[in-house]
């Protein structure tokens, strides 16, 4: 999402790429603060026996909602037009 909103169309623009990566990293770090990882198998290692919903571990749904909440917060602060 950030790539579409804040990315560059110039593949040689290293500064723009670095700036975007820094923003993405900050959002990933927020998620990691709450979940100790951004890697699904590490997060789910403690939730293996939870029920599935449409073939997915029920905890995955919670993680997707949490990630979208972090993104929503960022977008409201930075793209509230």
């Amino acid at each position: 999402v950030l790539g579409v909103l804040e990315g560059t169309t110039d593949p040689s623009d290293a500064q723009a790429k670095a700036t975007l990566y820094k923003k993405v990293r900050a959002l990933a770090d927020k998620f990691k603060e709450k979940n100790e990882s951004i890697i699904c198998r590490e997060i789910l290692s403690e939730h293996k026996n939870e029920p599935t919903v449409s073939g997915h571990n029920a905890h995955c749904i919670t993680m997707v909602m949490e990630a979208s909440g972090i993104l929503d917060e960022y977008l409201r602060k930075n793209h509230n037009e």
Side-chain angles (χ1 to χ4, degrees):
V1 173
L2 287 185
V4 170
L5 294 174
E6 300 182 11
T8 180
T9 57
D10 180 1
S12 65
D13 188 347
Q15 181 61 41
K17 287 181 184 181
T19 299
L20 179 62
Y21 181 78
K22 188 175 182 179
K23 292 175 184 180
V24 170
R25 184 81 250 153
L27 295 178
D29 287 345
K30 276 190 171 190
F31 184 88
K32 190 174 181 177
E33 284 174 20
K34 295 180 179 182
N35 299 290
E36 299 180 13
S37 181
I38 62 169
I39 300 169
C40 289
R41 77 172 174 274
E42 291 176 3
I43 295 168
L44 292 178
S45 67
E46 298 178 19
H47 302 277
K48 290 179 184 176
N49 298 321
E50 288 189 13
T52 60
V53 177
S54 299
H56 299 283
N57 182 299
H59 195 68
C60 295
I61 296 167
T62 303
M63 297 295 95
V64 170
M65 289 173 52
E66 194 166 304
S68 61
I70 291 168
L71 179 60
D72 181 61
E73 179 184 333
Y74 175 86
L75 293 175
R76 287 178 190 275
K77 285 181 181 176
N78 297 284
H79 291 274
N80 196 8
E81 299 165 3

